[in-house]
């Protein structure tokens, strides 16, 4: 293994990946109805371009970007628009959505023109294609990819890092993608590099995926892509930690990867970019891991956006015991949800069910100042002290103590013997600080 730099902090949770890592990706059969959320990304909501009773084809535009930081939404199959209304979102509130009743034909819309000679293509043409196809970061954040590929002229980018780490426990979608579609990942990486104008390309993969490392290394031979094997520690896949591990560059507090000349993209995003350019395909499906000890047959599925979690769970055989918790994503950074009606979105990396004995039964106690959260924090923060400030609603102090640097990785809460809700506190502080900044901006 190359001598990569180990980032500070982090934890070693049980990875829980054995349930699904050897299960090949399966395609889901067509459903009768898809409920496609319109706000699937960070940024402005897109504007619907269809109305009730319109006929649509697979891949057809349903909503166009509502601003620079926004992303297009496309139909997952052919059928009729039943409604342009709302559906249940991850936060428990209703969000705008388009409901499509499938006609069972799955007829594709005319694809976007294929760009075969991508090696020679104008980078702006390639970037425009990423925008048209509605590609967003598929590792979790769902940030519009075309925006990430448009750094300000003052920021010089010289390294592209593809994130194949998948450090989040229980999730295996990226692992399977690297085993089953390595060529597309590598082409996607080179297309992204062409858009950015960089020649140094790395794919970071943790050492607990030796089969993916071996295959990606073999396939990358003769390409400008270097596969970097990384030591295992959560949250190795967080952008700032990954950049540090591979390049030794430290993103400054309050800064972005572009401040150190780096752009990070998930391996799934690279596949979406390759498909947009080489096949003219818009992003309307993704690989999702459906897993957890209550699930009968955990595995990895190619799911179309708008598939309700309940249908995804049926594909995995349903449950063999009552689950105590349902999580969108993984156990460390995922979001606990209460309904299986929630639809799959472009960033649904996993649907995880936990049994009663896997859910914390502890109640939160006072901080004993043991410092374990400080040791665990990969952002060199003091979560215990911040938590007390936040309980006392001293958001001004929390801002001074860099609460906005928190990446919500959950390492502090994982390490805390008093079971304090440290991540919830950090999320609250970040929300309050951002709201205060927005209000101050509006007054100007
Ligand atoms: S304070 Fe934030 S960044 Fe630090 S360990 Fe906790 S959740 Fe992670
Ligand atoms: S780990 Fe928990 S108990 Fe220990 S210092 Fe941090 S918040 Fe306090």
């Amino acid at each position: 293994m190359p001598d990569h730099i180990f980032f500070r902090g982090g934890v070693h949770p049980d990875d829980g990946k054995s349930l699904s890592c050897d299960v090949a990706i399966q395609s889901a059969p067509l459903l009768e109805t898809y409920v496609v959320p319109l706000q699937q990304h960070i940024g402005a909501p897109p504007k619907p371009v269809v109305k009730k009773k319109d006929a649509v084809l697979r891949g057809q535009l349903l909503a166009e970007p509502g601003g620079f930081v926004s992303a297009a939404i496309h139909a997952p199959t052919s059928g009729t628009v039943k409604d342009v209304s709302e559906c249940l979102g991850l936060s428990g509130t209703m969000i705008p959505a388009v409901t499509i009743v499938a006609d069972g034909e799955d007829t594709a819309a005319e694809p976007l023109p294929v760009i075969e000679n991508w090696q020679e293509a104008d980078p702006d043409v390639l970037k425009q294609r990423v925008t048209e196809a509605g590609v967003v970061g598929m590792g979790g954040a769902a940030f519009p990819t075309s925006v990430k590929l448009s750094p300000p002229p003052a920021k010089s980018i010289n390294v592209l890092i593809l994130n194949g780490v998948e450090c989040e426990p229980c999730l295996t979608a990226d692992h399977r993608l690297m085993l089953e579609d390595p060529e597309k990942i590598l082409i996607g990486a080179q297309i992204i590099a062409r858009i950015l104008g960089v020649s140094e390309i790395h794919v970071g993969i943790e050492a607990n995926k030796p089969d993916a490392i071996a295959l990606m290394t073999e396939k990358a031979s003769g390409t400008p892509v270097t596969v970097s094997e990384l030591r295992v520690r959560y949250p190795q896949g967080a952008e700032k930690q990954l950049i540090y591990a591979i390049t030794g560059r430290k993103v400054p507090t309050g800064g972005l990867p572009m401040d150190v000349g780096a752009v990070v993209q998930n391996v799934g995003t690279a596949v979406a970019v390759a498909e947009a350019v080489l096949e003219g395909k818009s992003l309307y499906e993704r690989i999702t891991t459906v897993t957890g000890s209550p699930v009968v047959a955990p595995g990895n599925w190619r799911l179309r956006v708008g598939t309700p979690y309940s249908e995804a769970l049926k594909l995995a055989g349903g449950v063999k015991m009552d689950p105590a918790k349902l999580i969108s994503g993984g156990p460390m950074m995922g979001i606990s949800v209460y309904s299986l009606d929630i639809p799959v979105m472009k960033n649904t990396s996993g649907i995880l069910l936990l049994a009663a004995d896997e859910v914390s039964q502890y109640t939160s106690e006072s901080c004993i100042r043991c410092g374990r959260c400080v040791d665990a924090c990969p952002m060199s923060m003091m979560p215990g002290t911040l938590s007390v400030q936040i309980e006392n609603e001293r958001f001004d102090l929390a801002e001074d103590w860099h609460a906005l640097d928190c990446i919500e990785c959950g390492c502090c809460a994982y390490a805390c013997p008093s079971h304090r809700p440290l991540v919830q506190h950090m999320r609250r502080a970040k929300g309050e600080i951002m709201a205060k900044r927005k209000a101050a901006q509006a007054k100007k």
Side-chain angles (χ1 to χ4, degrees):
M1 186 187 311
D3 188 22
H4 286 292
I5 303 162
F6 220 20
F7 64 90
R8 181 206 181 277
V11 291
H12 284 285
D14 177 9
D15 80 5
K17 292 179 188 284
S18 59
L19 288 176
S20 59
C21 68
D22 294 327
V23 184
I25 298 166
Q26 303 165 70
S27 286
L30 268 186
L31 298 177
E32 287 180 6
T33 304
Y34 293 87
V35 183
V36 184
L38 295 184
Q39 182 76 63
Q40 296 190 35
H41 51 265
I42 291 174
K47 297 176 194 151
V49 296
V50 293
K51 57 185 186 319
K52 195 171 171 175
K53 295 189 180 169
D54 278 357
V56 293
L57 299 173
R58 171 164 48 84
Q60 183 178 326
L61 187 70
L62 294 180
E64 61 188 13
F68 177 61
V69 185
S70 187
I73 303 289
H74 298 83
T77 189
S78 58
T80 306
V81 175
K82 183 182 173 195
D83 218 347
V84 181
S85 54
E86 293 182 322
C87 72
L88 187 62
L90 284 179
S91 63
T93 57
M94 301 304 283
I95 56 173
V98 174
T99 303
I100 295 171
V101 176
D103 60 13
E105 302 293 327
D106 202 27
T107 311
E110 186 70 31
L112 299 161
V114 169
I115 307 173
E116 273 172 11
N117 60 338
W118 58 268
Q119 296 94 334
E120 309 291 326
D122 182 338
D124 285 341
V125 170
L126 296 172
K127 188 162 65 179
Q128 178 60 22
R129 172 54 52 84
V130 172
T131 306
E132 289 168 331
V135 181
V136 301
M138 295 172 78
F143 193 78
T145 301
S146 56
V147 180
K148 241 182 168 183
L149 301 184
S150 308
K155 304 287 180 190
S156 163
I157 307 297
N158 51 28
V159 61
L160 167 67
I161 299 173
L162 237 55
N163 190 345
V165 173
E166 201 168 48
C167 62
E168 179 76 41
C170 302
L171 303 187
T172 54
D174 289 348
H175 185 176
R176 292 307 313 179
L177 200 56
M178 290 187 283
L179 290 177
E180 298 182 39
D181 228 345
E183 290 93 350
K184 234 181 230 176
I185 293 172
L186 293 167
I187 290 175
Q190 292 170 80
I191 294 172
I192 295 169
R194 180 161 179 81
I195 295 172
L196 291 167
V198 306
S199 54
E200 186 179 345
I201 311 170
H202 297 267
V203 184
I205 309 173
E206 277 192 334
N208 59 357
K209 302 173 192 66
D211 48 359
I213 292 167
L215 186 63
M216 290 288 291
T217 304
E218 179 197 324
K219 299 288 180 184
S221 169
T223 77
V225 181
T226 304
V227 175
S228 299
E229 179 179 342
L230 304 169
R231 280 189 277 174
V232 179
R233 184 183 283 187
Y234 178 87
Q236 181 87 252
E239 278 193 340
K240 294 173 184 177
Q241 283 62 37
L242 185 55
I243 291 168
Y244 182 64
I246 289 184
T247 68
R249 303 177 195 176
K250 280 189 180 175
V251 179
T253 178
L256 294 168
M258 68 171 84
D259 294 323
V260 294
V263 165
V264 179
Q265 294 285 354
N266 173 263
V267 288
T269 311
V271 168
V273 168
E275 290 179 341
V277 170
L278 301 179
E279 299 168 22
K281 182 181 170 186
S282 49
L283 179 53
Y284 57 77
E285 61 185 4
R286 66 153 296 129
I287 314 301
T288 300
T289 304
V290 183
T291 190
S293 58
V295 176
V296 171
N300 307 285
W301 276 269
R302 189 180 304 279
L303 299 177
R304 304 196 187 194
V305 296
T307 301
Y309 284 13
S310 54
E311 294 294 336
L313 189 55
K314 273 187 207 165
L315 293 170
V319 294
K320 55 191 175 197
M321 65 177 94
D322 278 345
K325 206 167 192 174
L326 168 63
I327 295 174
S328 178
M332 294 298 282
M333 290 190 77
I335 297 175
S336 182
V337 294
Y338 67 85
S339 171
L340 285 166
D341 291 340
I342 291 173
V344 167
M345 299 199 283
K346 294 176 187 177
N347 64 341
T348 307
S349 50
I351 299 170
L352 171 66
L353 273 62
L354 297 178
D357 61 357
E358 296 169 315
V359 175
S360 172
Q361 305 295 332
Y362 300 104
T363 48
S364 168
E365 292 169 19
S366 299
C367 174
I368 56 170
R369 300 190 181 185
C370 65
R372 288 190 202 173
C373 56
V374 180
D375 290 340
C377 180
M379 295 303 293
S380 304
M381 297 168 66
M382 299 187 67
T385 308
L386 276 151
S387 163
V388 175
Q389 292 167 349
I390 295 159
E391 276 180 328
N392 290 316
E393 308 212 328
R394 289 299 307 270
F395 302 112
D396 54 331
L397 285 178
E399 187 172 8
D400 291 346
W401 285 54
H402 304 291
L404 288 182
D405 277 352
C406 173
I407 58 171
E408 301 177 22
C409 64
C411 290
C412 51
Y414 180 86
C416 177
S418 292
H419 310 288
R420 291 179 60 73
L422 299 171
V423 186
Q424 287 89 335
H425 283 166
M426 299 304 294
R427 282 189 185 136
R428 183 175 174 214
K430 288 170 73 178
E432 295 281 349
I433 294 164
M434 290 309 292
K436 189 186 86 178
R437 288 189 181 183
K438 225 173 171 179
Q441 193 70 29
K443 273 188 194 164
K444 280 184 185 168

